Amino acid sequence: MKAFRYFVPWLALAAAVAAVWLSQSRPFAQAQARPGASPAPAGSSGSSAEVHQPSPPALSPSPGPKEQLRGVWVPYMALEAPEHTQAAFEENFRAIAQSAQKKGLNTLFVHVRAFCDALYPSERYPWSHILTGVQGKDPGFDPLQFMVDYTHSLGMEFHAWVNPLRVCTKKTPGQLAEDSPYTTLGDTESYYFMEWEGTVYLDPAYPYTRTLVAEGAAEIVEKYPVDGVHFDDYFYPTQEASLDGESYQLYCDSVSQPLAQADWRRANISAMVEEVYQRVKAARPEARFGISPQGNLTNDWNMGADVSAWCALPGYVDYLCPQLYYGFEDPGLPYAQALDQWTALPRRQGLALYAGLALYKAGDPERGQDWAGGDVIGRQIDAAADWDGVVLYSSAYLDAEQTQEEMAGAVEAMARLG
Protein backbone atom coordinates (compact mmCIF):
# COMPACT_ATOMS: atom_id res chain seq x y z
CA MET A 1 0.00 0.00 0.00
CA LYS A 2 2.90 2.38 0.64
CA ALA A 3 4.03 2.06 -2.96
CA PHE A 4 0.48 2.73 -4.18
CA ARG A 5 0.30 5.91 -2.11
CA TYR A 6 3.09 7.36 -4.23
CA PHE A 7 1.92 5.97 -7.57
CA VAL A 8 -0.71 8.64 -8.25
CA PRO A 9 1.51 11.60 -7.24
CA TRP A 10 4.25 10.08 -9.35
CA LEU A 11 1.95 10.00 -12.39
CA ALA A 12 1.22 13.68 -11.91
CA LEU A 13 4.92 14.43 -11.59
CA ALA A 14 5.72 12.33 -14.62
CA ALA A 15 3.05 14.05 -16.68
CA ALA A 16 4.40 17.44 -15.71
CA VAL A 17 7.94 16.53 -16.71
CA ALA A 18 6.65 15.32 -20.05
CA ALA A 19 4.91 18.60 -20.78
CA VAL A 20 7.38 21.23 -19.69
CA TRP A 21 7.84 22.59 -23.20
CA LEU A 22 6.55 22.24 -26.73
CA SER A 23 8.62 22.99 -29.79
CA GLN A 24 6.58 25.96 -30.94
CA SER A 25 7.62 28.17 -28.00
CA ARG A 26 10.22 30.84 -28.80
CA PRO A 27 12.66 30.19 -25.92
CA PHE A 28 12.37 26.42 -26.44
CA ALA A 29 13.30 26.69 -30.11
CA GLN A 30 16.28 28.89 -29.29
CA ALA A 31 17.37 26.59 -26.50
CA GLN A 32 17.30 23.64 -28.86
CA ALA A 33 19.54 25.53 -31.26
CA ARG A 34 22.16 26.24 -28.65
CA PRO A 35 25.17 23.90 -28.65
CA GLY A 36 24.76 21.12 -26.10
CA ALA A 37 21.07 21.65 -25.48
CA SER A 38 19.13 18.41 -25.15
CA PRO A 39 15.59 17.77 -26.41
CA ALA A 40 12.90 18.66 -23.91
CA PRO A 41 10.17 16.25 -22.90
CA ALA A 42 7.32 16.87 -25.33
CA GLY A 43 3.56 16.58 -25.21
CA SER A 44 1.10 16.98 -28.05
CA SER A 45 -0.02 20.42 -29.15
CA GLY A 46 -3.41 21.24 -27.68
CA SER A 47 -3.57 18.09 -25.60
CA SER A 48 -2.83 17.20 -22.02
CA ALA A 49 0.62 16.00 -21.01
CA GLU A 50 1.84 12.51 -21.74
CA VAL A 51 3.08 10.36 -18.87
CA HIS A 52 6.85 10.33 -18.48
CA GLN A 53 8.65 7.62 -16.56
CA PRO A 54 12.20 8.20 -15.31
CA SER A 55 14.54 6.15 -17.46
CA PRO A 56 16.43 3.42 -15.62
CA PRO A 57 20.19 3.96 -15.35
CA ALA A 58 22.48 2.09 -17.70
CA LEU A 59 23.66 0.07 -14.72
CA SER A 60 22.18 -0.48 -11.29
CA PRO A 61 22.84 2.27 -8.74
CA SER A 62 26.22 1.94 -7.14
CA PRO A 63 26.21 0.30 -3.69
CA GLY A 64 26.55 2.49 -0.64
CA PRO A 65 29.71 2.67 1.43
CA LYS A 66 30.61 -0.40 3.48
CA GLU A 67 30.64 1.56 6.74
CA GLN A 68 28.30 4.28 7.87
CA LEU A 69 29.20 7.60 6.36
CA ARG A 70 30.70 10.19 8.70
CA GLY A 71 31.05 13.37 6.71
CA VAL A 72 31.51 17.11 6.87
CA TRP A 73 30.57 19.89 4.48
CA VAL A 74 33.44 22.14 3.36
CA PRO A 75 31.81 25.37 2.06
CA TYR A 76 33.47 27.68 -0.44
CA MET A 77 34.08 30.30 2.26
CA ALA A 78 36.29 27.84 4.17
CA LEU A 79 38.40 27.20 1.07
CA GLU A 80 39.37 30.80 0.33
CA ALA A 81 42.85 31.78 1.48
CA PRO A 82 43.53 35.53 1.87
CA GLU A 83 46.82 35.23 -0.05
CA HIS A 84 45.08 33.73 -3.11
CA THR A 85 48.11 31.60 -3.91
CA GLN A 86 48.44 27.91 -4.69
CA ALA A 87 50.58 27.31 -1.62
CA ALA A 88 48.08 29.00 0.69
CA PHE A 89 45.11 27.18 -0.84
CA GLU A 90 46.75 23.78 -0.51
CA GLU A 91 47.97 24.42 3.03
CA ASN A 92 44.48 25.48 4.07
CA PHE A 93 42.86 22.41 2.54
CA ARG A 94 45.39 20.05 4.08
CA ALA A 95 44.53 21.46 7.51
CA ILE A 96 40.79 20.94 6.89
CA ALA A 97 41.21 17.37 5.65
CA GLN A 98 43.64 16.40 8.42
CA SER A 99 41.33 17.76 11.10
CA ALA A 100 38.42 15.79 9.67
CA GLN A 101 40.45 12.58 9.49
CA LYS A 102 41.70 12.91 13.09
CA LYS A 103 38.11 13.21 14.28
CA GLY A 104 37.10 9.98 12.62
CA LEU A 105 35.32 11.43 9.60
CA ASN A 106 35.54 9.46 6.38
CA THR A 107 33.95 11.77 3.77
CA LEU A 108 34.38 15.38 2.64
CA PHE A 109 31.65 17.20 0.74
CA VAL A 110 33.64 20.03 -0.84
CA HIS A 111 32.07 23.06 -2.52
CA VAL A 112 33.55 23.03 -6.02
CA ARG A 113 30.88 25.12 -7.76
CA ALA A 114 29.00 27.74 -5.79
CA PHE A 115 28.12 30.46 -8.35
CA CYS A 116 28.01 28.86 -11.81
CA ASP A 117 31.80 28.76 -11.56
CA ALA A 118 34.42 26.11 -10.90
CA LEU A 119 37.40 25.14 -8.75
CA TYR A 120 38.77 23.29 -11.77
CA PRO A 121 39.35 24.04 -15.48
CA SER A 122 35.86 23.76 -16.94
CA GLU A 123 34.54 23.90 -20.48
CA ARG A 124 31.23 25.32 -19.23
CA TYR A 125 31.95 27.54 -16.24
CA PRO A 126 34.52 30.24 -15.38
CA TRP A 127 37.14 29.87 -12.64
CA SER A 128 35.83 30.57 -9.14
CA HIS A 129 36.67 33.91 -7.57
CA ILE A 130 37.79 32.25 -4.33
CA LEU A 131 41.02 31.11 -6.00
CA THR A 132 42.39 34.47 -7.10
CA GLY A 133 39.86 37.01 -5.86
CA VAL A 134 38.54 37.51 -9.41
CA GLN A 135 36.04 35.23 -11.12
CA GLY A 136 37.37 33.89 -14.40
CA LYS A 137 41.07 34.28 -13.59
CA ASP A 138 43.16 31.14 -14.05
CA PRO A 139 44.95 30.32 -10.77
CA GLY A 140 47.68 28.40 -12.60
CA PHE A 141 46.93 25.03 -10.97
CA ASP A 142 44.09 22.53 -10.65
CA PRO A 143 42.62 22.83 -7.15
CA LEU A 144 40.13 19.99 -7.58
CA GLN A 145 42.78 17.50 -8.66
CA PHE A 146 44.86 18.40 -5.63
CA MET A 147 41.93 18.14 -3.23
CA VAL A 148 40.73 14.80 -4.56
CA ASP A 149 44.22 13.30 -4.51
CA TYR A 150 44.98 14.55 -1.02
CA THR A 151 41.63 13.43 0.40
CA HIS A 152 42.09 9.97 -1.06
CA SER A 153 45.63 9.82 0.31
CA LEU A 154 44.09 10.12 3.78
CA GLY A 155 41.74 7.23 3.08
CA MET A 156 38.66 9.45 2.85
CA GLU A 157 35.98 9.91 0.20
CA PHE A 158 35.65 13.14 -1.79
CA HIS A 159 32.26 14.31 -3.03
CA ALA A 160 32.05 17.35 -5.30
CA TRP A 161 29.43 19.71 -3.84
CA VAL A 162 27.61 21.82 -6.45
CA ASN A 163 25.04 24.57 -6.12
CA PRO A 164 23.03 23.78 -9.27
CA LEU A 165 21.19 27.04 -10.01
CA ARG A 166 22.76 30.02 -8.22
CA VAL A 167 24.67 32.49 -10.42
CA CYS A 168 25.41 35.33 -7.99
CA THR A 169 24.13 37.25 -4.98
CA LYS A 170 24.14 41.03 -4.57
CA LYS A 171 27.77 41.01 -3.43
CA THR A 172 29.25 37.64 -4.43
CA PRO A 173 31.13 37.37 -6.70
CA GLY A 174 32.00 41.06 -6.90
CA GLN A 175 32.05 40.90 -10.70
CA LEU A 176 31.06 38.09 -13.03
CA ALA A 177 33.54 36.75 -15.55
CA GLU A 178 33.15 37.33 -19.27
CA ASP A 179 32.40 33.63 -19.72
CA SER A 180 29.86 33.39 -16.90
CA PRO A 181 26.57 32.03 -18.26
CA TYR A 182 24.82 35.20 -17.12
CA THR A 183 27.34 37.44 -18.86
CA THR A 184 27.12 35.56 -22.15
CA LEU A 185 23.35 34.98 -22.17
CA GLY A 186 21.79 37.56 -19.86
CA ASP A 187 21.39 40.33 -22.44
CA THR A 188 19.91 38.33 -25.31
CA GLU A 189 18.40 35.33 -23.56
CA SER A 190 17.44 36.67 -20.16
CA TYR A 191 14.57 34.17 -19.89
CA TYR A 192 17.15 31.54 -18.90
CA PHE A 193 17.50 33.30 -15.53
CA MET A 194 15.40 34.16 -12.48
CA GLU A 195 16.11 36.96 -10.01
CA TRP A 196 14.90 37.18 -6.44
CA GLU A 197 16.01 39.71 -3.83
CA GLY A 198 19.22 40.45 -5.69
CA THR A 199 20.23 36.84 -6.28
CA VAL A 200 20.29 35.45 -9.82
CA TYR A 201 19.46 31.81 -10.57
CA LEU A 202 19.27 29.63 -13.65
CA ASP A 203 15.65 28.90 -14.57
CA PRO A 204 15.31 25.08 -14.61
CA ALA A 205 12.21 25.26 -16.83
CA TYR A 206 14.37 25.28 -19.97
CA PRO A 207 16.09 22.26 -21.52
CA TYR A 208 19.23 24.33 -22.07
CA THR A 209 19.68 25.25 -18.41
CA ARG A 210 18.90 21.76 -17.14
CA THR A 211 21.43 20.30 -19.54
CA LEU A 212 24.02 22.91 -18.57
CA VAL A 213 23.73 21.75 -14.97
CA ALA A 214 23.75 18.06 -15.90
CA GLU A 215 26.71 18.32 -18.24
CA GLY A 216 28.58 20.28 -15.61
CA ALA A 217 28.09 17.45 -13.12
CA ALA A 218 29.15 14.85 -15.68
CA GLU A 219 32.24 16.91 -16.53
CA ILE A 220 33.47 16.58 -12.94
CA VAL A 221 32.93 12.83 -12.89
CA GLU A 222 34.57 12.35 -16.29
CA LYS A 223 37.72 14.31 -15.43
CA TYR A 224 38.28 13.49 -11.75
CA PRO A 225 38.05 10.34 -9.60
CA VAL A 226 35.53 11.94 -7.25
CA ASP A 227 33.39 9.53 -5.25
CA GLY A 228 30.25 11.46 -6.09
CA VAL A 229 28.45 14.68 -6.95
CA HIS A 230 26.39 16.44 -4.27
CA PHE A 231 23.65 19.10 -4.62
CA ASP A 232 22.55 21.39 -1.81
CA ASP A 233 19.04 22.72 -1.18
CA TYR A 234 18.97 25.82 -3.39
CA PHE A 235 16.08 25.31 -5.82
CA TYR A 236 13.22 27.80 -6.26
CA PRO A 237 13.92 30.60 -3.74
CA THR A 238 10.30 31.73 -3.34
CA GLN A 239 6.72 30.69 -4.00
CA GLU A 240 5.98 34.03 -5.65
CA ALA A 241 4.44 33.53 -9.10
CA SER A 242 6.38 36.39 -10.63
CA LEU A 243 9.72 34.63 -10.20
CA ASP A 244 9.31 32.62 -13.42
CA GLY A 245 6.08 34.04 -14.78
CA GLU A 246 7.22 34.16 -18.41
CA SER A 247 8.37 30.57 -18.61
CA TYR A 248 5.26 29.34 -16.80
CA GLN A 249 2.98 31.23 -19.19
CA LEU A 250 4.76 29.68 -22.17
CA TYR A 251 4.13 26.28 -20.64
CA CYS A 252 0.46 27.08 -20.07
CA ASP A 253 0.11 28.17 -23.68
CA SER A 254 1.51 24.85 -24.84
CA VAL A 255 -1.00 22.46 -23.24
CA SER A 256 -4.76 22.38 -22.84
CA GLN A 257 -4.69 21.37 -19.16
CA PRO A 258 -1.66 22.98 -17.53
CA LEU A 259 -0.57 22.04 -14.06
CA ALA A 260 -0.55 24.52 -11.23
CA GLN A 261 2.65 26.53 -11.13
CA ALA A 262 3.95 24.82 -7.99
CA ASP A 263 3.44 21.35 -9.49
CA TRP A 264 5.10 22.46 -12.72
CA ARG A 265 8.09 23.79 -10.80
CA ARG A 266 8.52 20.46 -9.02
CA ALA A 267 8.43 18.75 -12.41
CA ASN A 268 11.19 21.05 -13.68
CA ILE A 269 13.44 20.28 -10.72
CA SER A 270 12.81 16.55 -10.96
CA ALA A 271 13.57 16.64 -14.69
CA MET A 272 16.90 18.30 -13.91
CA VAL A 273 17.70 15.84 -11.12
CA GLU A 274 16.89 12.89 -13.36
CA GLU A 275 19.13 14.21 -16.15
CA VAL A 276 22.00 14.79 -13.72
CA TYR A 277 21.64 11.26 -12.39
CA GLN A 278 21.63 9.76 -15.88
CA ARG A 279 24.68 11.71 -17.03
CA VAL A 280 26.67 11.00 -13.88
CA LYS A 281 25.94 7.27 -14.17
CA ALA A 282 26.78 7.29 -17.88
CA ALA A 283 30.11 8.97 -17.16
CA ARG A 284 31.06 6.59 -14.32
CA PRO A 285 28.46 4.18 -12.92
CA GLU A 286 30.16 3.79 -9.54
CA ALA A 287 30.05 7.53 -8.84
CA ARG A 288 27.20 8.48 -6.52
CA PHE A 289 24.78 11.38 -6.88
CA GLY A 290 22.86 12.76 -3.93
CA ILE A 291 21.05 15.82 -2.65
CA SER A 292 20.92 17.59 0.71
CA PRO A 293 17.39 19.04 0.88
CA GLN A 294 15.97 21.01 3.76
CA GLY A 295 14.94 18.98 6.77
CA ASN A 296 11.35 20.25 6.71
CA LEU A 297 9.38 18.26 4.14
CA THR A 298 6.89 21.08 3.63
CA ASN A 299 9.67 23.53 2.84
CA ASP A 300 11.11 21.11 0.30
CA TRP A 301 7.74 20.71 -1.38
CA ASN A 302 7.26 24.49 -1.54
CA MET A 303 10.66 25.13 -3.11
CA GLY A 304 10.20 22.55 -5.85
CA ALA A 305 11.99 19.56 -4.33
CA ASP A 306 9.81 16.44 -4.56
CA VAL A 307 11.87 14.47 -2.08
CA SER A 308 9.13 11.85 -1.69
CA ALA A 309 9.46 10.84 -5.33
CA TRP A 310 13.26 10.96 -5.23
CA CYS A 311 13.21 8.73 -2.17
CA ALA A 312 10.69 6.17 -3.49
CA LEU A 313 11.56 5.91 -7.18
CA PRO A 314 14.74 4.83 -8.99
CA GLY A 315 16.49 7.11 -11.44
CA TYR A 316 16.88 10.23 -9.31
CA VAL A 317 19.47 9.93 -6.52
CA ASP A 318 21.64 7.42 -4.67
CA TYR A 319 21.09 9.13 -1.31
CA LEU A 320 19.38 12.02 0.42
CA CYS A 321 20.94 13.99 3.27
CA PRO A 322 18.25 16.22 4.79
CA GLN A 323 19.50 19.18 6.78
CA LEU A 324 18.02 18.34 10.17
CA TYR A 325 19.15 21.59 11.77
CA TYR A 326 16.74 21.41 14.71
CA GLY A 327 17.21 21.07 18.43
CA PHE A 328 15.49 18.34 20.42
CA GLU A 329 13.06 20.92 21.80
CA ASP A 330 12.63 22.98 18.64
CA PRO A 331 9.13 24.53 18.83
CA GLY A 332 8.56 24.26 15.09
CA LEU A 333 10.00 20.81 14.34
CA PRO A 334 11.82 18.88 17.08
CA TYR A 335 14.80 16.89 15.89
CA ALA A 336 13.38 13.47 16.78
CA GLN A 337 10.14 14.28 14.95
CA ALA A 338 12.08 15.29 11.83
CA LEU A 339 13.97 11.99 11.98
CA ASP A 340 10.70 10.10 12.21
CA GLN A 341 9.14 11.95 9.28
CA TRP A 342 12.05 11.12 7.00
CA THR A 343 12.27 7.54 8.23
CA ALA A 344 8.58 7.06 7.41
CA LEU A 345 8.98 8.01 3.74
CA PRO A 346 8.73 5.00 1.40
CA ARG A 347 12.25 4.25 0.20
CA ARG A 348 13.39 2.30 -2.82
CA GLN A 349 15.89 -0.47 -2.23
CA GLY A 350 19.45 0.81 -2.12
CA LEU A 351 18.69 4.46 -1.36
CA ALA A 352 20.70 5.78 1.61
CA LEU A 353 19.65 8.40 4.16
CA TYR A 354 22.23 10.58 5.93
CA ALA A 355 21.37 13.01 8.71
CA GLY A 356 22.74 16.51 8.16
CA LEU A 357 23.51 18.08 11.55
CA ALA A 358 23.97 21.74 12.53
CA LEU A 359 27.36 21.69 14.21
CA TYR A 360 27.51 25.47 13.72
CA LYS A 361 24.61 25.94 16.16
CA ALA A 362 26.03 23.76 18.92
CA GLY A 363 27.59 25.57 21.85
CA ASP A 364 26.19 28.93 20.79
CA PRO A 365 24.51 30.49 23.88
CA GLU A 366 22.54 32.90 21.69
CA ARG A 367 20.59 29.94 20.27
CA GLY A 368 19.14 29.04 23.64
CA GLN A 369 19.35 26.12 26.01
CA ASP A 370 18.47 23.63 23.31
CA TRP A 371 21.96 24.06 21.84
CA ALA A 372 23.92 24.79 25.00
CA GLY A 373 24.11 21.38 26.65
CA GLY A 374 27.53 20.41 25.34
CA ASP A 375 26.34 17.03 24.08
CA VAL A 376 23.65 17.99 21.55
CA ILE A 377 25.43 16.75 18.42
CA GLY A 378 26.51 13.50 20.09
CA ARG A 379 22.93 12.80 21.14
CA GLN A 380 21.69 13.61 17.65
CA ILE A 381 24.21 11.19 16.14
CA ASP A 382 23.05 8.47 18.54
CA ALA A 383 19.41 9.16 17.65
CA ALA A 384 20.23 8.69 13.96
CA ALA A 385 22.21 5.48 14.49
CA ASP A 386 19.76 3.50 12.34
CA TRP A 387 20.38 5.80 9.38
CA ASP A 388 23.25 5.30 6.93
CA GLY A 389 25.44 8.05 8.34
CA VAL A 390 25.72 11.68 9.40
CA VAL A 391 27.18 14.86 7.88
CA LEU A 392 28.22 17.91 9.92
CA TYR A 393 27.94 21.54 8.89
CA SER A 394 30.57 22.75 8.62
CA SER A 395 34.33 22.20 8.56
CA ALA A 396 34.82 25.69 10.02
CA TYR A 397 33.48 24.36 13.36
CA LEU A 398 35.55 21.19 13.67
CA ASP A 399 38.16 23.05 15.74
CA ALA A 400 36.26 26.17 16.79
CA GLU A 401 36.33 27.20 20.46
CA GLN A 402 32.52 27.28 20.47
CA THR A 403 32.25 23.59 19.59
CA GLN A 404 35.17 22.01 21.45
CA GLU A 405 32.98 20.20 23.98
CA GLU A 406 30.40 19.30 21.34
CA MET A 407 33.02 17.85 19.00
CA ALA A 408 34.45 15.68 21.76
CA GLY A 409 31.02 14.13 22.25
CA ALA A 410 30.43 13.91 18.50
CA VAL A 411 33.69 12.03 17.98
CA GLU A 412 32.68 9.48 20.61
CA ALA A 413 29.21 9.10 19.09
CA MET A 414 30.57 8.65 15.57
CA ALA A 415 32.92 5.96 16.85
CA ARG A 416 29.82 4.03 17.91
CA LEU A 417 28.44 4.04 14.37
CA GLY A 418 28.82 0.88 12.32
Side-chain angles (χ1 to χ4, degrees):
M1 291 300 294
K2 286 186 177 180
F4 180 77
R5 287 171 53 201
Y6 283 84
F7 181 69
V8 174
W10 169 70
L11 286 179
L13 167 70
V17 173
V20 173
W21 290 116
L22 295 180
S23 58
Q24 67 262 34
S25 67
R26 168 183 56 83
F28 171 80
Q30 293 180 353
Q32 293 295 81
R34 294 199 61 81
S38 64
S44 300
S45 179
S47 64
S48 60
E50 298 175 1
V51 173
H52 167 77
Q53 180 177 358
S55 303
L59 296 175
S60 298
S62 56
K66 295 180 181 179
E67 60 180 345
Q68 282 186 290
L69 184 140
R70 303 183 299 278
V72 65
W73 279 291
V74 184
Y76 73 91
M77 304 86 73
L79 294 170
E80 186 168 16
E83 301 86 346
H84 290 130
T85 63
Q86 177 178 353
F89 180 92
E90 293 181 354
E91 180 181 3
N92 180 50
F93 183 78
R94 285 193 195 96
I96 293 171
Q98 289 171 9
S99 175
Q101 183 203 38
K102 290 177 181 177
K103 292 172 175 59
L105 301 174
N106 58 23
T107 306
L108 301 182
F109 295 87
V110 182
H111 220 169
V112 303
R113 185 160 74 247
F115 298 97
C116 276
D117 52 16
L119 267 70
Y120 53 92
S122 172
E123 298 176 4
R124 295 166 180 82
Y125 298 98
W127 283 103
S128 172
H129 73 281
I130 74 167
L131 300 170
T132 62
V134 179
Q135 189 184 74
K137 184 177 180 180
D138 189 338
F141 72 109
D142 188 335
L144 181 52
Q145 188 67 65
F146 165 76
M147 292 191 294
V148 173
D149 289 346
Y150 189 74
T151 301
H152 285 168
S153 76
L154 297 179
M156 305 172 70
E157 287 193 5
F158 185 102
H159 291 246
W161 168 11
V162 169
N163 185 301
L165 300 178
R166 185 174 59 195
V167 177
C168 62
T169 66
K170 289 181 179 179
K171 297 181 179 180
T172 309
Q175 183 174 351
L176 296 177
E178 292 182 358
D179 54 344
S180 164
Y182 190 63
T183 306
T184 57
L185 300 174
D187 290 338
T188 59
E189 296 163 290
S190 60
Y191 45 80
Y192 284 144
F193 304 92
M194 310 178 295
E195 183 173 352
W196 184 252
E197 295 183 343
T199 298
V200 178
Y201 304 84
L202 293 171
D203 186 342
Y206 295 91
Y208 175 72
T209 52
R210 296 196 299 267
T211 296
L212 176 65
V213 173
E215 289 184 343
E219 179 184 43
I220 296 172
V221 175
E222 290 166 352
K223 291 183 177 181
Y224 301 93
V226 297
D227 298 283
V229 173
H230 178 82
F231 279 6
D232 52 32
D233 63 326
Y234 285 83
F235 297 113
Y236 286 98
T238 179
Q239 294 177 263
E240 288 292 328
S242 60
L243 176 71
D244 53 353
E246 179 184 1
S247 54
Y248 179 62
Q249 187 59 52
L250 287 167
Y251 157 71
C252 290
D253 293 342
S254 71
V255 295
S256 60
Q257 298 178 7
L259 293 168
Q261 190 171 17
D263 294 329
W264 173 77
R265 286 178 175 178
R266 284 185 284 273
N268 292 332
I269 296 298
S270 287
M272 178 183 70
V273 169
E274 179 195 353
E275 185 173 354
V276 172
Y277 182 86
Q278 292 294 328
R279 289 180 181 268
V280 166
K281 293 300 180 182
R284 186 149 46 82
E286 68 272 19
R288 309 177 75 222
F289 171 55
I291 296 176
S292 178
Q294 292 194 17
N296 186 306
L297 294 171
T298 301
N299 289 349
D300 289 321
W301 186 251
N302 290 339
M303 69 193 312
D306 190 352
V307 295
S308 297
W310 302 348
C311 199
L313 301 172
Y316 288 117
V317 294
D318 293 307
Y319 67 85
L320 290 171
C321 180
Q323 299 170 28
L324 306 178
Y325 294 172
Y326 315 110
F328 282 100
E329 305 299 328
D330 189 290
L333 181 60
Y335 175 76
Q337 181 179 337
L339 276 180
D340 289 343
Q341 289 179 356
W342 280 90
T343 302
L345 289 179
R347 233 192 303 176
R348 68 164 179 82
Q349 185 177 5
L351 183 123
L353 273 182
Y354 308 134
L357 305 181
L359 178 62
Y360 73 96
K361 291 185 177 181
D364 183 352
E366 295 185 2
R367 297 186 182 273
Q369 188 60 36
D370 207 20
W371 292 98
D375 63 346
V376 177
I377 298 300
R379 290 165 53 213
Q380 291 189 341
I381 292 171
D382 286 338
D386 291 337
W387 284 35
D388 300 291
V390 298
V391 184
L392 307 178
Y393 188 86
S394 73
S395 62
Y397 291 86
L398 291 179
D399 297 295
E401 182 177 355
Q402 169 193 321
T403 54
Q404 282 186 355
E405 186 178 357
E406 286 284 352
M407 274 308 304
V411 168
E412 292 179 2
M414 286 189 289
R416 292 191 288 270
L417 296 177

